[in-house]
Amino acid sequence: MVHDSRSQPTPPARKARSGPNSVAPQDDLVLDTGDVDPETSAADEDDEARLPDVPDDAGEAIAEGPLAVGHAAIENAVRLAPTSPGVYRMLNSANDVLYVGKAKNIRKRLSSYARVNAPQPARILRMIAATTSVEIVSTATETEALLLEANLIKQLRPRFNVQLRDDKSFPYILITGDHWAPQILKHRGAQTRPGRYFGPFASAGAVNRTITALQRAFLIRSCTDGFFESRTRPCLLYQIKRCAGPCTREIDFTGYTELVREATEFLSGRSHAVKELLAAEMEKASGELEFETAALYRDRLAALSAIQSQQGINPRTVEEADVFAIHQEGGYSCVEVFFFRTGQNWGNRAYFPRAEKTFTPEEVLSSFLAQFYDDKPPPKLILLSHEIEESGLLADALSVKAGRKVEVSAPRRGEKKELISHALTNAREALGRRLADTATQGRLLEGMVTTLGLPHTPKRIEVYDNSHIQGTNAVGAMIVAGPDGFVKNQYRKFNIKSEGLTPGDDYAMMREVLERRFKRLLKSAEGDDAARIKADDDSFPQWPDLVIIDGGRGQLNAAREIFEVLGLTQVTLMAVAKGPDRDAGRETLFMPDREAIKLEPRDPVLYFIQRLRDEAHRFVIGSHRKLRKKDIREAGLQEIPGIGPSRKRALLRHFGTLKEIERASIADLGKVPGVSAESARKIFEFFHAQPG
């Protein structure tokens, strides 16, 4: 969302020196330039240390006495309750609020709690049993009741409600309007300073990255007004081409105003027009043989492409929307939120609301949304992964709050459905990571002993994986974990060297990696018993207690052959095979001379093993891509089928550099003149082919 509270001050009467108004940076040096308004800055968001504590009293028997007392208290409230809309609060004997609810007809809603023999969920019965009094607030409409309920839940945090635990404000980008040379900065809090506000962004990191790239592209100053006025010569940012130098009139007022206009248009969603203008200027300078100026425009184009590549998925048909997707697992919920403004992805954030295990995804999402927008302006469109019962009421309430129409929907097809699917994937992964983090490493290692029948708690775990594309750029990798987590200084990568290796032979690649690793380890241990650190030694061992292979029974047998040849009998072997359709949570574990092991999807040990496997996969994919990128840089675009000199020039003209072409999405590639949808797909697949 873009807010405008601009004024356009005129520059002070001071002789201006003309200078380049289209220069761009030559490197990516990042400096702390004070791009945060000191009056509104706040601490960056930190990930929550753990998942919320979820009450789990479902198995507790509820005594008839307390239940009868609760029913009597609610029955008394029913007699005095109005039939109009409103909000009610259940209180216990200590006057603590247990639950806040809303209703179109308060008397009818409370009557449903007062019926003694009515079937109720266990959490409702526990709430009734703890209730000693009820407070009621009437409202004019059900919409007002919804807004009041959300406000009270955030204030009072009742035990039996879904609770949004992290309600920090979101950062915005501000281009100031109270100085003749506008400043770009990160802003939080009340939007009282004149200027243009762009946001919200999901995190301070997303804002900082965008501001840095905007400085490179548009050369807008980030210094404070006081620093600006005190300058007698340009600062370092001017020297590294991240500021146009308006403080010392290295650029005149007209030129700087044009840069600010271009930046504003880019953030307002007119990025294509801005890039077309820069491309035309680059072409013009090149035609006039002003190659240095053309290179500066080229670098500015590359900076703009970098911003869009960092934003990931950018929708074609959705200009302004928030996307919410919820995933539940292990009794916990994760709500992933994506922010789209001016057709650009401005980041995402995962929330872990506190809710009892009996709440359905629809119930959690409905309560979460009302609290989420209690202190935030809603966008024009809100997309949900689940259809909630009160979507119409929520849309009406948010429309009243925003002063314009707000639509709430759960799409089932098209690009909007793709956005939901993308958010769901992120929610599932975020919750999986958080579940793995909640249990301590020591407890997880002890759990592996029990679950896998290990002889002792492992002090060193090594996980192996390999990666290639049809046998090319083959690389193997080893990651290491211990009692304190991942030990990244012990990670190793192996460039596959065997000349007679059949392309794509995963078994042979795994044999080579393990043979090289353990031959070297045996050699270092010859004549030195100290190298074989015992399991009860406090120092970190060099020999693994457990080796995990990414693969199935075949990969396990290949590893077992190497271990038998080398005489390794003290190291436990295990292979982790992906589930059907590569679904996380349905993996099969293989160990020598044992039946296959299938753990429960919510088993913490399985989450831990998945995390180890995924870290090895991440590390090996990164190593493979470095090799592949080196080959691509050496080969250039000529290696892509169907891309001739004309299309190559068009691509370079549009994106500026080969690196930015590699970062571009299929949609962005398709916007280049002369590049068809099929050609865009081929270019994208060339750079993003999935390694095996």
Side-chain angles (χ1 to χ4, degrees):
M1 187 173 298
V2 180
H3 304 283
D4 189 355
S5 55
R6 282 183 301 180
S7 61
Q8 181 57 62
T10 57
R14 183 174 171 181
K15 184 178 179 181
R17 297 200 300 269
S18 61
N21 63 0
S22 57
V23 290
Q26 305 301 318
D27 54 54
D28 294 330
L29 178 62
V30 177
L31 299 177
D32 182 2
T33 59
D35 59 355
V36 181
D37 187 341
E39 296 180 359
T40 59
S41 63
D44 290 353
E45 299 91 335
D46 294 323
D47 287 337
E48 298 171 22
R50 55 183 175 80
L51 284 166
D53 295 325
V54 178
D56 187 15
D57 306 324
E60 293 183 4
I62 302 172
E64 287 295 328
L67 198 57
V69 171
H71 278 125
I74 296 173
E75 185 63 43
N76 289 333
V78 170
R79 297 192 188 100
L80 303 175
T83 57
S84 60
V87 173
Y88 57 92
R89 286 173 285 182
M90 307 282 199
L91 288 79
N92 63 10
S93 57
N95 222 31
D96 297 324
V97 178
L98 299 172
Y99 181 76
V100 174
K102 69 174 185 317
K104 186 176 183 180
N105 184 322
I106 298 179
R107 179 180 296 177
K108 185 176 181 180
R109 176 62 56 83
L110 290 178
S111 296
S112 67
Y113 295 122
R115 289 195 290 269
V116 176
N117 296 322
Q120 300 278 15
R123 64 180 173 86
I124 299 297
L125 292 176
R126 294 198 307 275
M127 180 187 72
I128 294 172
T131 299
T132 58
S133 62
V134 180
E135 292 182 352
I136 298 171
V137 178
S138 296
T139 59
T141 64
E142 192 178 4
T143 298
E144 289 183 14
L146 174 64
L147 296 174
L148 177 60
E149 178 199 36
N151 184 271
L152 290 175
I153 291 173
K154 290 187 69 174
Q155 286 184 20
L156 303 174
R157 299 189 177 278
R159 173 189 173 189
F160 289 95
N161 283 99
V162 175
Q163 296 176 18
L164 171 59
R165 303 173 66 237
D166 182 0
D167 57 354
K168 299 170 184 172
S169 63
F170 291 100
Y172 283 72
I173 287 179
L174 167 62
I175 297 181
T176 60
D178 54 1
H179 193 280
W180 75 267
Q183 170 196 8
I184 187 169
L185 63 138
K186 180 175 68 179
H187 182 97
R188 289 183 188 269
Q191 297 177 0
T192 55
R193 186 174 179 181
R196 296 288 300 270
Y197 293 85
F198 302 92
F201 285 79
S203 67
V207 171
N208 292 336
R209 288 191 299 271
T210 302
I211 287 177
T212 298
L214 287 171
Q215 286 179 273
R216 295 170 53 202
F218 300 110
L219 311 173
I220 303 178
R221 71 178 179 97
S222 58
C223 59
T224 62
D225 291 348
F227 182 85
F228 178 92
E229 299 296 343
S230 66
R231 297 301 300 176
T232 58
R233 59 179 181 174
C235 68
L236 179 60
L237 286 177
Y238 174 79
Q239 305 298 334
I240 64 172
K241 307 285 192 296
R242 273 182 48 187
C243 179
C247 56
T248 55
R249 307 303 188 268
E250 306 303 322
I251 183 173
D252 58 21
F253 173 69
T254 303
Y256 190 77
T257 301
E258 178 64 17
L259 292 177
V260 173
R261 185 192 64 79
E262 291 175 357
T264 302
E265 287 196 348
F266 182 85
L267 286 170
S268 299
R270 293 182 286 275
S271 56
H272 182 70
V274 174
K275 293 177 72 174
E276 282 293 314
L277 176 64
L278 294 178
E281 292 292 338
M282 180 179 70
E283 195 82 10
K284 178 182 176 182
S286 178
E288 295 175 355
L289 304 183
E290 296 178 1
F291 298 116
E292 290 187 7
T293 303
L296 298 175
Y297 281 113
R298 177 204 63 198
D299 292 339
R300 291 183 62 188
L301 275 171
L304 295 182
S305 297
I307 296 175
Q308 294 178 318
S309 66
Q310 290 170 0
Q311 292 169 343
I313 180 173
N314 290 307
R316 299 179 299 278
T317 60
V318 177
E319 181 179 353
E320 179 181 315
D322 288 347
V323 179
F324 295 83
I326 183 170
H327 178 70
Q328 289 185 328
E329 201 161 355
Y332 297 98
S333 302
C334 174
V335 178
E336 190 80 27
V337 187
F338 276 79
F339 303 94
F340 295 96
R341 299 293 185 273
T342 65
Q344 302 176 34
N345 177 7
W346 282 359
N348 60 293
R349 186 189 293 185
Y351 290 86
F352 302 92
R354 184 182 186 276
E356 290 206 8
K357 297 179 179 180
T358 55
F359 278 105
T360 64
E362 292 80 5
E363 290 173 327
V364 175
L365 190 57
S366 178
S367 184
F368 175 90
L369 287 168
Q371 296 177 58
F372 183 84
Y373 288 113
D374 178 59
D375 58 354
K376 301 176 183 68
K380 297 177 183 177
L381 177 62
I382 297 172
L383 301 177
L384 309 180
S385 61
H386 293 68
E387 189 78 52
I388 61 175
E389 184 177 350
E390 297 180 333
S391 60
L393 177 61
L394 179 65
D396 291 341
L398 295 180
S399 297
V400 170
K401 183 180 178 66
R404 53 176 168 73
K405 183 179 179 181
V406 175
E407 181 184 353
V408 179
S409 68
R412 292 292 175 262
R413 64 181 64 86
E415 185 182 43
K416 294 176 182 178
K417 174 61 176 176
E418 293 175 6
L419 295 178
I420 290 293
S421 299
H422 183 67
L424 270 172
T425 300
N426 280 268
R428 182 169 56 250
E429 292 175 353
L431 184 55
R433 290 191 298 268
R434 190 55 58 90
L435 285 170
D437 289 340
T438 51
T440 65
Q441 195 85 351
R443 287 175 55 193
L444 289 170
L445 293 173
E446 291 172 2
M448 292 185 75
V449 173
T450 304
T451 303
L452 304 177
L454 303 180
H456 55 77
T457 302
K459 281 194 170 185
R460 179 185 177 110
I461 300 174
E462 293 182 357
V463 188
Y464 293 84
D465 196 2
N466 53 52
S467 179
H468 61 92
I469 294 180
Q470 297 179 346
T472 63
N473 301 121
V475 62
M478 171 191 81
I479 66 107
V480 180
D484 297 324
F486 293 116
V487 189
K488 296 196 174 183
N489 63 356
Q490 299 281 321
Y491 286 16
R492 297 292 183 269
K493 62 180 179 180
F494 305 83
N495 293 328
I496 306 299
K497 299 177 180 179
S498 298
E499 296 181 358
L501 190 69
T502 302
D505 189 343
D506 288 331
Y507 299 158
M509 284 190 281
M510 186 59 67
R511 290 191 195 98
E512 178 181 333
V513 169
L514 293 175
E515 187 173 21
R516 286 167 55 186
R517 159 65 179 158
F518 285 98
K519 275 188 174 180
R520 186 178 304 159
L521 198 56
L522 285 169
K523 185 176 181 180
S524 66
E526 288 179 0
D528 184 6
D529 292 337
R532 292 177 175 267
I533 300 177
K534 297 180 180 179
D536 57 356
D537 197 320
D538 290 334
S539 59
F540 191 73
Q542 298 302 307
W543 279 85
D545 306 290
L546 174 64
V547 168
I548 299 177
I549 309 297
D550 183 25
R553 183 74 72 178
Q555 280 87 349
L556 178 71
N557 291 334
R560 188 178 184 182
E561 291 175 8
I562 295 298
F563 276 36
E564 289 175 350
V565 170
L566 298 178
L568 303 176
T569 59
Q570 302 299 316
V571 180
T572 303
L573 264 176
M574 183 176 73
V576 182
K578 298 178 179 66
D581 300 321
R582 306 175 75 89
D583 282 349
R586 302 173 66 186
E587 287 84 355
T588 303
L589 311 181
F590 296 97
M591 301 182 74
D593 304 323
R594 290 177 58 177
E595 294 292 328
I597 303 171
K598 295 280 287 187
L599 300 182
E600 291 295 323
R602 297 177 182 177
D603 193 321
V605 171
L606 179 59
Y607 278 115
F608 182 52
I609 293 172
Q610 289 172 354
R611 189 181 177 199
L612 293 172
R613 187 267 319 277
D614 292 345
E615 172 67 3
H617 189 64
R618 179 201 66 80
F619 183 59
V620 75
I621 290 294
S623 301
H624 167 84
R625 283 176 176 161
K626 286 181 181 179
L627 290 176
R628 178 170 166 77
K629 284 180 180 179
K630 182 180 178 181
D631 285 354
I632 290 174
R633 284 195 296 269
E634 293 173 354
L637 294 173
Q638 293 88 342
E639 295 296 318
I640 308 177
I643 303 301
S646 297
R647 283 178 177 166
K648 177 183 176 182
R649 282 195 298 270
L651 287 164
L652 291 173
R653 178 178 179 272
H654 186 84
F655 293 101
T657 65
L658 183 66
K659 185 176 182 180
E660 299 308 326
I661 297 173
E662 179 185 349
R663 290 176 173 176
S665 66
I666 295 178
D668 290 334
L669 290 167
K671 296 176 183 177
V672 178
V675 177
S676 64
E678 180 62 18
S679 296
R681 184 187 62 79
K682 288 181 178 178
I683 296 168
F684 184 85
E685 290 179 353
F686 176 78
F687 287 109
H688 300 275
Q690 292 299 314

